[in-house]
Amino acid sequence: MPKFIIEREIPNAGSLTSKDLHGIAQKSCSILQNMGPKIQWIESYVTDDKVYCVYIAPDETAIREHAQQGSFPANRISRIKTIIDPTTAEA
């Protein structure tokens, strides 16, 4: 199943409270549950003005459907081709 990274432009995202993030996560999980098991949220990274989310989904259309249902921005959706880390440098 393809993996995607979603860039969400959210002004002042880094200032969201734990309560705000809890509510956002609950809303997202509820939508994902209704969409079925083929789309999964792995994790998200919050920066000052953006949130980067990693999802497993059959295609970009599923990601956009989730974003639309939740009124979440999905400014850029990129399919992850491969993952590298420090072990990639090992012989």
Side-chain angles (χ1 to χ4, degrees):
M1 185 85 64
K3 192 178 283 188
F4 296 87
I5 189 158
I6 301 97
E7 182 178 315
R8 305 183 192 280
E9 293 180 13
I10 303 173
N12 300 310
S15 298
L16 291 168
T17 66
S18 294
K19 185 177 179 178
D20 295 331
L21 295 171
H22 178 80
I24 292 166
Q26 281 188 321
K27 184 177 185 179
S28 179
C29 288
S30 175
I31 294 164
L32 290 169
Q33 185 175 15
N34 289 333
M35 290 181 72
K38 289 193 175 188
I39 180 170
Q40 300 172 30
W41 172 27
I42 306 301
E43 61 191 349
S44 295
Y45 302 91
V46 180
T47 65
D48 287 337
D49 293 313
K50 293 184 182 181
V51 176
Y52 298 90
C53 303
V54 179
Y55 277 71
I56 295 172
D59 52 38
E60 188 175 321
T61 302
I63 302 290
R64 291 205 181 280
E65 182 181 336
H66 172 263
Q68 182 180 16
Q69 287 186 35
S71 298
F72 304 127
N75 303 93
R76 183 176 185 149
I77 300 171
S78 301
R79 184 172 176 172
I80 297 170
K81 298 293 185 177
T82 193
I83 298 172
I84 64 170
D85 64 23
T87 63
T88 306
E90 296 174 1

